[in-house]
Short mmCIF file of all heavy atoms in Angstrom, two decimals:
data_model
loop_
_atom_site.label_atom_id
_atom_site.label_comp_id
_atom_site.label_asym_id
_atom_site.label_seq_id
_atom_site.Cartn_x
_atom_site.Cartn_y
_atom_site.Cartn_z
N LYS G 1 0.82 -1.20 0.00
CA LYS G 1 0.00 0.00 0.00
C LYS G 1 0.86 1.25 0.00
O LYS G 1 0.45 2.30 -0.50
CB LYS G 1 -0.94 -0.01 1.20
CG LYS G 1 -2.02 -1.07 1.09
CD LYS G 1 -3.03 -0.97 2.22
CE LYS G 1 -4.15 -1.97 2.01
NZ LYS G 1 -5.16 -1.90 3.06
N LEU G 2 2.04 1.16 0.58
CA LEU G 2 3.00 2.25 0.54
C LEU G 2 4.34 1.71 0.05
O LEU G 2 4.73 0.61 0.42
CB LEU G 2 3.18 2.88 1.92
CG LEU G 2 2.03 3.72 2.49
CD1 LEU G 2 2.42 4.28 3.85
CD2 LEU G 2 1.65 4.85 1.55
N PRO G 3 5.06 2.48 -0.75
CA PRO G 3 6.39 2.03 -1.18
C PRO G 3 7.41 2.22 -0.07
O PRO G 3 7.10 2.76 1.00
CB PRO G 3 6.68 2.96 -2.36
CG PRO G 3 5.95 4.22 -2.01
CD PRO G 3 4.69 3.77 -1.32
N GLN G 4 8.63 1.78 -0.31
CA GLN G 4 9.72 2.01 0.63
C GLN G 4 10.10 3.48 0.57
O GLN G 4 10.61 3.96 -0.43
CB GLN G 4 10.93 1.14 0.26
CG GLN G 4 12.13 1.29 1.20
CD GLN G 4 11.84 0.74 2.59
OE1 GLN G 4 11.23 -0.31 2.72
NE2 GLN G 4 12.30 1.45 3.60
N LEU G 5 9.82 4.22 1.64
CA LEU G 5 10.03 5.66 1.63
C LEU G 5 11.41 6.03 2.15
O LEU G 5 11.89 5.48 3.14
CB LEU G 5 8.97 6.35 2.50
CG LEU G 5 7.50 6.18 2.06
CD1 LEU G 5 6.57 6.83 3.08
CD2 LEU G 5 7.28 6.77 0.68
N THR G 6 12.04 6.98 1.47
CA THR G 6 13.31 7.54 1.91
C THR G 6 13.05 8.88 2.58
O THR G 6 12.54 9.81 1.95
CB THR G 6 14.28 7.73 0.73
OG1 THR G 6 14.51 6.46 0.10
CG2 THR G 6 15.60 8.30 1.20
N TYR G 7 13.39 8.98 3.84
CA TYR G 7 13.11 10.20 4.61
C TYR G 7 14.07 11.31 4.20
O TYR G 7 15.29 11.11 4.11
CB TYR G 7 13.25 9.89 6.11
CG TYR G 7 13.10 11.09 7.00
CD1 TYR G 7 11.95 11.86 6.98
CD2 TYR G 7 14.11 11.46 7.89
CE1 TYR G 7 11.79 12.96 7.81
CE2 TYR G 7 13.97 12.55 8.74
CZ TYR G 7 12.81 13.30 8.68
OH TYR G 7 12.67 14.39 9.51
N LEU G 8 13.52 12.51 3.95
CA LEU G 8 14.32 13.65 3.50
C LEU G 8 14.49 14.71 4.58
O LEU G 8 15.53 15.34 4.69
CB LEU G 8 13.67 14.30 2.27
CG LEU G 8 13.44 13.40 1.06
CD1 LEU G 8 12.70 14.17 -0.03
CD2 LEU G 8 14.76 12.86 0.54
N GLY G 9 13.44 14.93 5.36
CA GLY G 9 13.51 15.98 6.37
C GLY G 9 12.14 16.25 6.97
O GLY G 9 11.17 15.56 6.70
N GLN G 10 12.08 17.31 7.79
CA GLN G 10 10.87 17.64 8.52
C GLN G 10 10.51 19.10 8.24
O GLN G 10 11.39 19.97 8.21
CB GLN G 10 11.08 17.41 10.02
CG GLN G 10 9.82 17.31 10.84
CD GLN G 10 10.13 16.91 12.28
OE1 GLN G 10 11.19 17.20 12.80
NE2 GLN G 10 9.21 16.24 12.94
N LEU G 11 9.23 19.37 8.05
CA LEU G 11 8.76 20.71 7.73
C LEU G 11 7.89 21.23 8.86
O LEU G 11 6.91 20.57 9.25
CB LEU G 11 7.97 20.68 6.42
CG LEU G 11 7.38 22.00 5.92
CD1 LEU G 11 8.50 22.97 5.54
CD2 LEU G 11 6.47 21.75 4.72
N PHE G 12 8.23 22.40 9.39
CA PHE G 12 7.46 23.04 10.47
C PHE G 12 7.33 22.14 11.70
O PHE G 12 6.41 22.31 12.49
CB PHE G 12 6.06 23.42 9.99
CG PHE G 12 6.04 24.25 8.73
CD1 PHE G 12 5.11 23.98 7.74
CD2 PHE G 12 6.94 25.29 8.55
CE1 PHE G 12 5.09 24.74 6.57
CE2 PHE G 12 6.92 26.05 7.38
CZ PHE G 12 5.99 25.77 6.40
N GLY G 13 8.21 21.19 11.87
CA GLY G 13 8.13 20.29 13.01
C GLY G 13 6.90 19.42 13.00
O GLY G 13 6.56 18.80 14.01
N THR G 14 6.20 19.35 11.87
CA THR G 14 4.90 18.68 11.81
C THR G 14 4.78 17.70 10.65
O THR G 14 4.18 16.64 10.79
CB THR G 14 3.76 19.72 11.69
OG1 THR G 14 3.83 20.60 12.81
CG2 THR G 14 2.40 19.06 11.63
N TYR G 15 5.39 18.05 9.51
CA TYR G 15 5.23 17.25 8.30
C TYR G 15 6.56 16.60 7.92
O TYR G 15 7.62 17.24 7.94
CB TYR G 15 4.72 18.11 7.14
CG TYR G 15 3.43 18.81 7.47
CD1 TYR G 15 3.42 20.16 7.83
CD2 TYR G 15 2.22 18.11 7.47
CE1 TYR G 15 2.24 20.79 8.17
CE2 TYR G 15 1.04 18.74 7.81
CZ TYR G 15 1.05 20.08 8.16
OH TYR G 15 -0.11 20.70 8.50
N LEU G 16 6.48 15.32 7.58
CA LEU G 16 7.65 14.56 7.17
C LEU G 16 7.75 14.58 5.65
O LEU G 16 6.76 14.38 4.95
CB LEU G 16 7.57 13.12 7.67
CG LEU G 16 7.27 12.95 9.16
CD1 LEU G 16 7.16 11.46 9.50
CD2 LEU G 16 8.32 13.63 10.02
N LEU G 17 8.94 14.81 5.13
CA LEU G 17 9.19 14.84 3.70
C LEU G 17 9.90 13.54 3.31
O LEU G 17 10.89 13.16 3.93
CB LEU G 17 10.04 16.04 3.31
CG LEU G 17 9.61 17.40 3.90
CD1 LEU G 17 10.56 18.50 3.45
CD2 LEU G 17 8.19 17.73 3.52
N ALA G 18 9.39 12.88 2.30
CA ALA G 18 9.98 11.61 1.88
C ALA G 18 9.80 11.44 0.38
O ALA G 18 9.01 12.13 -0.26
CB ALA G 18 9.32 10.44 2.62
N GLN G 19 10.55 10.50 -0.20
CA GLN G 19 10.42 10.22 -1.62
C GLN G 19 10.58 8.75 -1.89
O GLN G 19 11.16 8.00 -1.09
CB GLN G 19 11.44 11.00 -2.44
CG GLN G 19 12.88 10.48 -2.34
CD GLN G 19 13.82 11.21 -3.26
OE1 GLN G 19 13.78 12.43 -3.35
NE2 GLN G 19 14.67 10.48 -3.94
N ALA G 20 10.02 8.31 -3.00
CA ALA G 20 10.18 6.94 -3.49
C ALA G 20 10.04 7.01 -5.00
O ALA G 20 9.07 7.58 -5.52
CB ALA G 20 9.13 6.02 -2.90
N ASP G 21 11.03 6.46 -5.70
CA ASP G 21 11.06 6.54 -7.16
C ASP G 21 10.99 8.01 -7.57
O ASP G 21 11.80 8.80 -7.15
CB ASP G 21 9.92 5.72 -7.77
CG ASP G 21 10.04 4.24 -7.40
OD1 ASP G 21 11.18 3.76 -7.33
OD2 ASP G 21 9.01 3.59 -7.17
N GLU G 22 9.99 8.39 -8.36
CA GLU G 22 9.88 9.77 -8.82
C GLU G 22 8.65 10.44 -8.22
O GLU G 22 7.99 11.27 -8.85
CB GLU G 22 9.83 9.83 -10.35
CG GLU G 22 11.14 9.41 -10.99
CD GLU G 22 11.18 9.75 -12.47
OE1 GLU G 22 10.12 10.06 -13.03
OE2 GLU G 22 12.28 9.73 -13.04
N ILE G 23 8.36 10.10 -6.98
CA ILE G 23 7.21 10.68 -6.28
C ILE G 23 7.66 11.26 -4.95
O ILE G 23 8.44 10.65 -4.21
CB ILE G 23 6.11 9.62 -6.05
CG1 ILE G 23 5.61 9.09 -7.40
CG2 ILE G 23 4.95 10.21 -5.27
CD1 ILE G 23 4.54 8.03 -7.29
N PHE G 24 7.18 12.45 -4.66
CA PHE G 24 7.48 13.15 -3.41
C PHE G 24 6.28 13.02 -2.48
O PHE G 24 5.13 13.21 -2.90
CB PHE G 24 7.77 14.63 -3.71
CG PHE G 24 7.85 15.50 -2.49
CD1 PHE G 24 8.89 15.37 -1.58
CD2 PHE G 24 6.88 16.47 -2.25
CE1 PHE G 24 8.97 16.18 -0.46
CE2 PHE G 24 6.95 17.28 -1.13
CZ PHE G 24 7.99 17.14 -0.24
N TYR G 25 6.53 12.72 -1.20
CA TYR G 25 5.46 12.49 -0.23
C TYR G 25 5.55 13.48 0.92
O TYR G 25 6.64 13.79 1.41
CB TYR G 25 5.54 11.07 0.34
CG TYR G 25 5.29 10.00 -0.69
CD1 TYR G 25 6.35 9.46 -1.42
CD2 TYR G 25 4.02 9.50 -0.93
CE1 TYR G 25 6.14 8.47 -2.36
CE2 TYR G 25 3.79 8.52 -1.87
CZ TYR G 25 4.85 8.00 -2.59
OH TYR G 25 4.64 7.03 -3.53
N LEU G 26 4.38 13.95 1.34
CA LEU G 26 4.26 14.84 2.49
C LEU G 26 3.37 14.13 3.51
O LEU G 26 2.24 13.77 3.21
CB LEU G 26 3.62 16.16 2.05
CG LEU G 26 3.65 17.35 3.00
CD1 LEU G 26 5.09 17.75 3.30
CD2 LEU G 26 2.90 18.54 2.38
N ILE G 27 3.91 13.90 4.72
CA ILE G 27 3.23 13.06 5.71
C ILE G 27 3.00 13.85 6.99
O ILE G 27 3.92 14.46 7.53
CB ILE G 27 4.08 11.81 6.02
CG1 ILE G 27 4.35 11.02 4.73
CG2 ILE G 27 3.42 10.93 7.07
CD1 ILE G 27 5.64 10.28 4.73
N ASP G 28 1.76 13.82 7.48
CA ASP G 28 1.42 14.44 8.76
C ASP G 28 1.86 13.47 9.86
O ASP G 28 1.30 12.39 10.01
CB ASP G 28 -0.09 14.68 8.82
CG ASP G 28 -0.52 15.41 10.09
OD1 ASP G 28 0.05 15.12 11.17
OD2 ASP G 28 -1.43 16.24 10.02
N GLN G 29 2.88 13.86 10.65
CA GLN G 29 3.46 12.92 11.61
C GLN G 29 2.48 12.53 12.71
O GLN G 29 2.49 11.37 13.16
CB GLN G 29 4.74 13.50 12.22
CG GLN G 29 4.55 14.73 13.08
CD GLN G 29 5.88 15.28 13.57
OE1 GLN G 29 6.90 15.16 12.90
NE2 GLN G 29 5.88 15.90 14.74
N HIS G 30 1.62 13.45 13.14
CA HIS G 30 0.65 13.10 14.19
C HIS G 30 -0.39 12.14 13.63
O HIS G 30 -0.74 11.14 14.29
CB HIS G 30 -0.04 14.34 14.74
CG HIS G 30 -1.15 14.02 15.70
ND1 HIS G 30 -0.92 13.52 16.97
CD2 HIS G 30 -2.50 14.11 15.57
CE1 HIS G 30 -2.08 13.33 17.57
NE2 HIS G 30 -3.05 13.67 16.75
N ALA G 31 -0.91 12.42 12.44
CA ALA G 31 -1.92 11.55 11.84
C ALA G 31 -1.35 10.16 11.58
O ALA G 31 -2.02 9.15 11.77
CB ALA G 31 -2.44 12.16 10.54
N ALA G 32 -0.08 10.10 11.15
CA ALA G 32 0.56 8.80 10.90
C ALA G 32 0.70 8.00 12.19
O ALA G 32 0.37 6.81 12.24
CB ALA G 32 1.94 9.02 10.25
N ALA G 33 1.20 8.66 13.24
CA ALA G 33 1.36 7.97 14.53
C ALA G 33 0.02 7.55 15.10
O ALA G 33 -0.12 6.47 15.69
CB ALA G 33 2.09 8.89 15.52
N GLU G 34 -1.00 8.38 14.88
CA GLU G 34 -2.33 8.08 15.39
C GLU G 34 -2.89 6.83 14.70
O GLU G 34 -3.50 5.98 15.34
CB GLU G 34 -3.25 9.28 15.14
CG GLU G 34 -4.45 9.33 16.06
CD GLU G 34 -5.22 10.62 15.89
OE1 GLU G 34 -5.16 11.24 14.81
OE2 GLU G 34 -5.92 11.01 16.83
N ARG G 35 -2.69 6.72 13.39
CA ARG G 35 -3.15 5.54 12.66
C ARG G 35 -2.46 4.28 13.16
O ARG G 35 -3.11 3.25 13.40
CB ARG G 35 -2.89 5.74 11.16
CG ARG G 35 -2.93 4.47 10.32
CD ARG G 35 -4.22 3.71 10.44
NE ARG G 35 -5.40 4.47 10.07
CZ ARG G 35 -6.63 3.97 10.10
NH1 ARG G 35 -6.84 2.72 10.54
NH2 ARG G 35 -7.67 4.71 9.76
N ILE G 36 -1.15 4.34 13.36
CA ILE G 36 -0.38 3.19 13.85
C ILE G 36 -0.88 2.76 15.23
O ILE G 36 -1.17 1.59 15.46
CB ILE G 36 1.12 3.55 13.92
CG1 ILE G 36 1.67 3.82 12.51
CG2 ILE G 36 1.91 2.42 14.59
CD1 ILE G 36 3.03 4.50 12.52
N ASN G 37 -0.98 3.72 16.14
CA ASN G 37 -1.39 3.41 17.51
C ASN G 37 -2.83 2.93 17.58
O ASN G 37 -3.15 2.03 18.36
CB ASN G 37 -1.19 4.63 18.40
CG ASN G 37 0.27 4.95 18.64
OD1 ASN G 37 1.10 4.04 18.70
ND2 ASN G 37 0.59 6.22 18.76
N TYR G 38 -3.70 3.54 16.77
CA TYR G 38 -5.11 3.14 16.77
C TYR G 38 -5.26 1.67 16.42
O TYR G 38 -5.97 0.92 17.11
CB TYR G 38 -5.90 4.00 15.79
CG TYR G 38 -7.23 3.40 15.41
CD1 TYR G 38 -8.31 3.42 16.29
CD2 TYR G 38 -7.41 2.78 14.17
CE1 TYR G 38 -9.52 2.85 15.95
CE2 TYR G 38 -8.61 2.21 13.82
CZ TYR G 38 -9.67 2.24 14.70
OH TYR G 38 -10.87 1.66 14.36
N GLU G 39 -4.62 1.23 15.35
CA GLU G 39 -4.78 -0.16 14.92
C GLU G 39 -4.21 -1.13 15.96
O GLU G 39 -4.79 -2.19 16.23
CB GLU G 39 -4.13 -0.37 13.55
CG GLU G 39 -4.87 0.36 12.44
CD GLU G 39 -4.46 -0.09 11.05
OE1 GLU G 39 -3.68 -1.08 10.93
OE2 GLU G 39 -4.91 0.52 10.07
N LYS G 40 -3.08 -0.77 16.55
CA LYS G 40 -2.48 -1.64 17.57
C LYS G 40 -3.37 -1.72 18.82
O LYS G 40 -3.61 -2.80 19.37
CB LYS G 40 -1.09 -1.14 17.94
CG LYS G 40 -0.04 -1.32 16.83
CD LYS G 40 1.32 -0.87 17.30
CE LYS G 40 2.37 -1.13 16.22
NZ LYS G 40 3.73 -0.68 16.66
N ILE G 41 -3.85 -0.57 19.29
CA ILE G 41 -4.67 -0.53 20.50
C ILE G 41 -6.00 -1.24 20.27
O ILE G 41 -6.48 -2.00 21.12
CB ILE G 41 -4.90 0.93 20.94
CG1 ILE G 41 -3.59 1.53 21.43
CG2 ILE G 41 -5.96 1.00 22.04
CD1 ILE G 41 -3.66 3.02 21.72
#
């Protein structure tokens, strides 16, 4: 569902910047952590 992401940096202390192949990804770090924790809990 997600490719192997290469982490590039952090924006505004909130968004993670990553890339895979020729695609750039912007990730909300709180929303990502919330999804991970929700499914586990």
Side-chain angles (χ1 to χ4, degrees):
K1 291 186 176 181
L2 289 181
Q4 181 68 41
L5 298 176
T6 301
Y7 175 58
L8 303 176
Q10 198 173 29
L11 180 66
F12 307 137
T14 301
Y15 304 101
L16 309 178
L17 312 179
Q19 74 175 45
D21 299 324
E22 293 192 346
I23 299 179
F24 170 69
Y25 295 90
L26 193 61
I27 302 150
D28 184 322
Q29 66 184 30
H30 174 71
E34 203 173 25
R35 163 56 59 180
I36 295 166
N37 290 327
Y38 162 75
E39 292 194 7
K40 290 183 176 180
I41 291 172

